[in-house]
Each structure stands twice: as structure tokens, then as C-alpha cells.
Amino acid sequence: KNILLGLLLERDLLLAVMQNHPEPSDVPLHMLTRFVLPQMRVRDLMKPPTATLRAGVPIKQAAQKMLEHSVYGLPIVDEAQHVLGVFTVTDLLKAVIKSELMVLWP
């Protein structure tokens, strides 16, 4: 069975690096990941899915759901709850730019 256990986004990885290396450093963040992340496990960083989306959901509804659940990404699932992908804040911004919309809500 394909069961969705959790979600791990880039933002979660960067937050983990910053939490494990809180002191200011001259070392760039992307370099710190080489030292911090190999010691971590996905299960320790992933978050349980609070909500999911269906592929046909309008962008506005997806954005509202992300706000309601205070998340930066939502798994997209089919009728059988199989994971098809992940909708993230980056995807939302791309949709806004592509459609040249500046406002999602009236």
C-alpha cells in the first residue's frame, strides 16, 4: 500500500539546519546543510499531513486550505488517496505570475 506518512519540504530542511546551528556564522546556509542534514532522518523532520488536495481543486481553494492549516505545502491525492504530487507556496506564486493575477481574493 502507498500510505502518506508525512511531508518534508525544503523549508523544513532549512529550518532544521538553522535550529541545529543557531549561532551566526560566516558559513553559507547551503554549506551548513552538508554538516547537519546527514545526521538527521526524514522521520524526524517530516510533518504529518494535516490536509490533502484533489488535482481538480481551483488554485484559490488550495491557497485558502494552506492558510487554514498554516502549511507551506499540501499533498495532491486521487480518489484512492494515492499521492500524485505536492502543491507548495512556490507553485502558488508561479500560478499567480503565469496568470498575471496580483490578487487571488476579491
Side-chain angles (χ1 to χ4, degrees), residues 1-4 53 75-85:
K1 288 183 177 181
N2 294 329
I3 300 171
L4 179 63
L53 295 172
I76 302 167
V77 297
D78 63 14
E79 294 79 21
Q81 296 299 308
H82 294 118
V83 178
L84 304 174

Side-chain angles (χ1 to χ4, degrees), residues 58-61 63-64 67 92-106:
I59 298 289
K60 179 180 175 181
Q61 187 177 341
Q64 288 172 328
L67 285 172
L92 175 61
L93 292 173
K94 286 178 184 176
V96 169
I97 291 169
K98 183 177 179 181
S99 64
E100 297 183 11
L101 295 175
M102 296 312 292
V103 179
L104 291 174
W105 290 266

